Amino acid sequence: MNVKTMEGLAGAGTSISLVSTPMSVAKEAERKGDTEKMKRALSYAAGMTEQAEGYSKKTDEGMKLDAKEAKEQEKLRQEELIKARREEREKLEKQLQEGEGKTGDASFDSAEISEEGKHQVEAEKTSSSAPADSSQDVAYDKSGEAVEPVLESGENIDVVV
């Protein structure tokens, strides 16, 4: 919080709380009919009110400075975030370039079949008695049951594009 803001708030609060004393004196003087005392008391109260308004203006100035400072801090924070992201991106690009040099082309993913998977494929090849060319794709209907291929059922399908 800005010094002007704190000073303005404290001063305005004090001035307003001090206005109650001359106002009570003015009310008492009015009841007694002492107009001179009442005018003096109201003059003091008016002075305190003006002083409170001055402190209020000081508070406004301080709050504007606080807002300006907060904007500057936010701008600096945003610039730091941008710089950090830029450095991170450069680091990742450098890692990608280094990775391309080692593997040749980093635009492709690779997969490796485990030893267990290789054994399973070999077991399936040896256990199947049907020739390799007779394997067919299987289609399923909405209920999940296998459907006979169209060519085998003898139906004709017209495809219009």
Side-chain angles (χ1 to χ4, degrees), residues 43-54:
S43 157
Y44 289 136
M48 297 282 187
T49 304
E50 288 174 9
Q51 189 177 13
E53 287 176 8

Side-chain angles (χ1 to χ4, degrees), residues 1-13 51-67:
M1 186 179 277
N2 192 310
V3 174
K4 282 187 175 183
T5 305
M6 293 188 323
E7 183 181 343
L9 290 172
Q51 189 177 13
E53 287 176 8
Y55 280 120
S56 178
K57 289 179 183 175
K58 191 177 261 190
T59 301
D60 290 342
E61 291 172 10
M63 290 176 73
K64 286 178 183 176
L65 290 173
D66 283 342

Side-chain angles (χ1 to χ4, degrees), residues 81-96:
L81 285 172
I82 289 170
K83 182 180 176 183
R85 286 193 177 132
R86 190 173 292 138
E87 288 173 356
E88 184 178 331
R89 185 173 2 108
E90 289 172 359
K91 182 181 174 183
L92 288 173
E93 286 175 359
K94 185 178 179 181
Q95 288 176 349
L96 283 174

Side-chain angles (χ1 to χ4, degrees), residues 2 8 10 18 37 73 103 116 155:
N2 192 310
L18 292 176
K37 188 175 184 181
Q73 290 294 326
T103 61
E116 182 181 325
E155 296 176 26

Side-chain angles (χ1 to χ4, degrees), residues 11-161:
T14 303
S15 296
I16 292 298
S17 65
L18 292 176
V19 167
S20 63
T21 303
M23 288 302 289
S24 63
V25 170
K27 286 180 185 178
E28 185 180 326
E30 182 182 19
R31 272 191 308 237
K32 290 181 180 178
D34 189 357
T35 57
E36 288 299 315
K37 188 175 184 181
M38 184 177 75
K39 286 180 184 178
R40 253 191 340 263
L42 289 175
S43 157
Y44 289 136
M48 297 282 187
T49 304
E50 288 174 9
Q51 189 177 13
E53 287 176 8
Y55 280 120
S56 178
K57 289 179 183 175
K58 191 177 261 190
T59 301
D60 290 342
E61 291 172 10
M63 290 176 73
K64 286 178 183 176
L65 290 173
D66 283 342
K68 183 179 179 182
E69 185 177 313
K71 276 186 177 181
E72 290 173 0
Q73 290 294 326
E74 181 63 22
K75 185 177 178 181
L76 287 173
R77 191 179 70 79
Q78 289 292 331
E79 288 174 359
E80 288 174 2
L81 285 172
I82 289 170
K83 182 180 176 183
R85 286 193 177 132
R86 190 173 292 138
E87 288 173 356
E88 184 178 331
R89 185 173 2 108
E90 289 172 359
K91 182 181 174 183
L92 288 173
E93 286 175 359
K94 185 178 179 181
Q95 288 176 349
L96 283 174
Q97 288 174 353
E98 289 175 359
E100 285 179 8
K102 292 178 185 174
T103 61
D105 189 7
S107 64
F108 294 101
D109 290 337
S110 62
E112 191 172 317
I113 300 174
S114 67
E115 289 299 319
E116 182 181 325
K118 290 177 184 176
H119 292 299
Q120 185 178 1
V121 169
E122 287 298 321
E124 285 178 6
K125 282 183 182 178
T126 58
S127 68
S128 123
S129 60
D133 293 338
S134 69
S135 65
Q136 296 179 356
D137 292 332
V138 177
Y140 297 94
D141 63 5
K142 290 181 180 179
S143 65
E145 295 182 24
V147 178
E148 182 180 340
V150 174
L151 293 177
E152 291 179 8
S153 67
E155 296 176 26
N156 292 329
I157 297 177
D158 293 330
V159 178
V160 179
V161 180

